[in-house]
Amino acid sequence: MLGLNKRFIRILTAGLGFVTLFFLLRYQNQLHEPHLLPPTENENVCATFPKDELLALVQPVLKMGHGERRDKIEAQFDTVCSCFSEDELLIYSDLGETVRGRRVFDILSALPESYFNPTAHPDIQHYDQQKQLQKSGRLDKDKEATRNINGWILDKYKFLPMVEKTWEQRPNSPFYFFLETDTYVFWTNAMRFLRTLDPDKPLYMGSPSPGRHDLETDETTWFANGGPGFVLSRGAVRALLKPKGSSSLTETWSSLLAGECCGDSVMGWALWNISIPLQGYWPLFNPHPLHGIPFGEHHWSQPPVTLHKTEPDDVRRLWQWEGRNRDFERPILYSDLWEFHHPVQPAIRTDWDGGEFYAFRPPPDAIVTTLEECERFCKEEKTCLQWLWKGRDESQCVLSTSFRLGNLRKPEELPEPEDRDEDGNVIPPDPKRKKRWMDFTTGWVDENIFRWRQEHRRKEATWVEPSITRIF
């Protein structure tokens, strides 16, 4: 009996040792991050959503198109826009319809008559065709006719009338938050951010993109990329809609829109011309999707306000996770997002592109001609957190001071080199020439990432000041 007791004690001691080691390793991995709960499906996120407080500060406006991917629209209504009633959320599109029980306004019907001149605005024919298909009951049923409608080319015409209509329907809101179907908004972070600003000042905020060149001042102007969302204060909207003679906002910029690719750039130019330049708040407004965030110095202690192009499944998981971890005393940070989708993965993924953000190459004297040498060089370089090997018929080692989940990327055919004869004429490629390929392999250096996280731990959020030189 005594022998059995000793054996039991030894087993128990070994078991306790194993459990202790497991939790020590787990603790080491989460040493400097807050305790965050995993996402849970079908949790009532709206039960803790501060809707009344938010709507006292912000009017949300969703811009969509009838021809957009349906899964994006469904995900938006299931998550970011789900806690707003039909009366609280304004939805503008290129077609009047009801989607998920919500009224969608045809914003293009508000365009002045001059826009429907086929000579001045030939793109509008796509809108007319879509309306005719809807009227005849053929829209979406006639796949070929519906496919010929270019919804993207119509998108640029929505921005200016959208602002006019929003003010008409919801005048004097402190701030107007414009988002798209693939914009993820952290509403509590947005609320914290906007509370610090004066809505009666003319403020135009978002993720900066280079716009038109001002010949008078010899300056490059900037506009807010529409995908990550943008915000206008009521002071800015008042100034923008102030009558210029007898012309409305859309009439004033009709000729510019005809030749411009994008409505968000025209919006920025219109605001620039009334002395309201963009205040760039990157990385609060982020053009990266969730899987593409280059976590590092610029995406760590900062609070995200928006993300762009995040896939619908990730949007739903993120929404549930955010709801479970909503903390009115502390904003969600980028470091929390890394914990949310920290890749449980091998250290190396083949057919995987980790990206080239904040990247550098090994020096010319370094011997890096294989995947293994690329990995070894990154491990030996303390600032290197992730590596990307482009191999097969070319050899490129890309090192990065940020770490990113990345995405699947299968081998790609390389373009044929362009040969020319003595007179400079292009020589057609030899059809018998063997095709050249490039494949992609990404690796993460866990020990360097852990060391970096220890060095960059902090409890308080870093709220950036506006800038157009600090862009992604």
Side-chain angles (χ1 to χ4, degrees):
M1 180 67 68
L2 184 61
L4 288 174
N5 286 341
K6 288 182 177 180
R7 184 181 178 189
F8 174 76
I9 291 171
R10 285 198 299 270
I11 293 172
L12 181 63
T13 302
L16 288 173
F18 175 79
V19 171
T20 302
L21 178 61
F22 171 79
F23 280 105
L24 280 173
L25 291 172
R26 182 180 178 89
Y27 173 73
Q28 184 187 43
N29 186 51
Q30 298 181 346
L31 185 60
H32 305 299
E33 310 303 334
H35 180 65
L36 297 172
L37 299 170
T40 299
E41 290 186 11
N42 302 320
E43 188 164 342
N44 185 9
V45 176
C46 295
T48 59
F49 187 72
K51 183 171 73 169
D52 293 340
E53 197 175 354
L54 178 66
L55 290 174
L57 185 67
V58 170
Q59 173 58 58
V61 183
L62 174 65
K63 177 175 69 65
M64 60 169 282
H66 175 79
E68 287 192 72
R69 278 172 47 188
R70 191 56 45 172
D71 60 340
K72 285 170 44 180
I73 297 172
E74 294 286 343
Q76 185 62 256
F77 286 155
D78 287 339
T79 59
V80 172
C81 292
S82 64
C83 299
F84 302 119
S85 70
E86 182 181 349
D87 294 333
E88 293 162 344
L89 174 70
L90 295 176
I91 309 174
Y92 297 125
S93 182
D94 47 25
L95 190 72
E97 56 185 329
T98 299
V99 179
R100 293 279 295 271
R102 294 176 179 270
R103 183 182 178 186
V104 178
F105 294 93
D106 177 1
I107 196 60
L108 299 188
S109 67
L111 289 171
E113 190 63 34
S114 60
Y115 276 74
F116 296 91
N117 180 337
T119 303
H121 293 281
D123 298 335
I124 292 294
Q125 65 175 315
H126 294 277
Y127 171 68
D128 292 333
Q129 291 168 6
Q130 184 167 260
K131 294 278 286 184
Q132 290 168 11
L133 287 173
Q134 183 189 42
K135 187 176 180 179
S136 66
R138 295 168 53 218
L139 186 63
D140 299 325
K141 295 178 182 177
D142 186 335
K143 301 296 184 183
E144 185 175 350
T146 302
R147 195 163 43 244
N148 289 333
I149 296 169
N150 190 332
W152 183 86
I153 214 168
L154 292 175
D155 189 71
K156 68 180 181 179
Y157 293 103
K158 300 172 191 171
F159 284 83
L160 299 183
M162 178 174 68
V163 173
E164 291 179 313
K165 194 68 174 178
T166 297
W167 184 263
E168 178 187 317
Q169 293 185 284
R170 301 288 191 276
N172 294 311
S173 289
F175 295 97
Y176 296 89
F177 203 117
F178 298 90
L179 61 147
E180 302 187 359
T181 55
D182 57 359
T183 310
Y184 188 93
V185 184
F186 297 87
W187 287 116
T188 51
N189 279 4
M191 196 163 58
R192 284 185 174 91
F193 167 62
L194 294 174
R195 273 182 185 151
T196 66
L197 306 174
D198 182 353
D200 290 310
K201 289 184 177 179
L203 302 175
Y204 168 43
M205 298 164 284
S207 177
S209 291
R212 298 177 64 82
H213 189 78
D214 189 332
L215 296 177
E216 291 186 9
T217 62
D218 195 26
E219 292 180 82
T220 296
T221 66
W222 297 83
F223 67 91
N225 185 333
F230 65 96
V231 175
L232 292 173
S233 68
R234 67 181 167 212
V237 178
R238 280 182 185 143
L240 193 60
L241 301 184
K242 188 177 180 179
K244 265 191 173 182
S246 59
S247 298
S248 69
L249 178 64
T250 46
E251 287 172 330
T252 300
W253 300 107
S254 172
S255 59
L256 179 60
L257 266 169
E260 196 78 2
C261 76
C262 308
D264 43 10
S265 66
V266 176
M267 174 72 71
W269 182 249
L271 286 156
W272 172 266
N273 276 268
I274 56 170
S275 300
I276 304 179
L278 174 69
Q279 295 194 6
Y281 277 99
W282 175 90
L284 305 187
F285 295 81
N286 193 345
H288 296 294
L290 181 66
H291 70 270
I293 298 169
F295 292 99
E297 183 180 353
H298 302 292
H299 296 86
W300 197 251
S301 62
Q302 300 82 0
V305 171
T306 67
L307 301 176
H308 185 211
K309 291 185 178 179
T310 297
E311 286 299 309
D313 287 346
D314 284 338
V315 165
R316 288 187 173 91
R317 291 177 55 245
L318 184 56
W319 178 250
Q320 291 291 328
W321 173 85
E322 185 190 355
R324 294 202 80 199
N325 293 286
R326 187 168 288 128
D327 184 348
F328 294 101
E329 301 300 321
R330 174 189 178 276
I332 284 177
L333 306 180
Y334 276 105
S335 55
D336 301 327
L337 294 186
W338 171 253
E339 289 303 308
F340 163 69
H341 80 160
H342 186 300
V344 180
Q345 61 183 23
I348 299 175
R349 278 190 178 182
T350 57
D351 292 338
W352 198 262
D353 184 1
E356 299 184 43
F357 291 95
Y358 310 113
F360 63 100
R361 301 290 197 279
D365 58 343
I367 302 175
V368 182
T369 58
T370 66
L371 180 153
E372 291 76 17
E373 290 166 351
C374 183
E375 177 188 16
R376 184 165 56 251
F377 191 92
C378 186
K379 286 182 176 180
E380 293 172 355
E381 175 60 55
K382 289 184 178 180
T383 61
C384 183
L385 307 178
Q386 175 183 301
W387 55 270
L388 169 64
W389 175 253
K390 299 180 179 181
R392 198 180 289 197
D393 292 315
E394 285 200 5
S395 301
Q396 296 181 32
C397 179
V398 182
L399 311 173
S400 180
T401 58
S402 65
F403 44 106
R404 178 177 179 266
L405 180 58
N407 50 275
L408 180 72
R409 191 171 181 183
K410 293 290 188 179
E412 297 176 1
E413 186 178 350
L414 289 166
E416 292 289 342
E418 190 177 83
D419 296 326
R420 293 179 179 271
D421 60 22
E422 295 179 355
D423 298 324
N425 300 313
V426 176
I427 301 173
D430 183 354
K432 296 181 180 179
R433 181 184 291 173
K434 183 182 177 182
K435 292 182 178 180
R436 301 167 65 251
W437 294 84
M438 175 178 286
D439 53 28
F440 305 86
T441 303
T442 294
W444 297 264
V445 184
D446 288 340
E447 55 268 35
N448 288 1
I449 291 174
F450 179 70
R451 185 187 307 110
W452 185 92
R453 289 168 61 194
Q454 285 184 303
E455 293 170 354
H456 289 80
R457 59 183 177 178
R458 59 182 300 152
K459 294 180 180 179
E460 69 277 9
T462 302
W463 294 92
V464 298
E465 295 295 321
S467 170
I468 54 170
T469 58
R470 185 192 64 248
I471 64 171
F472 76 99

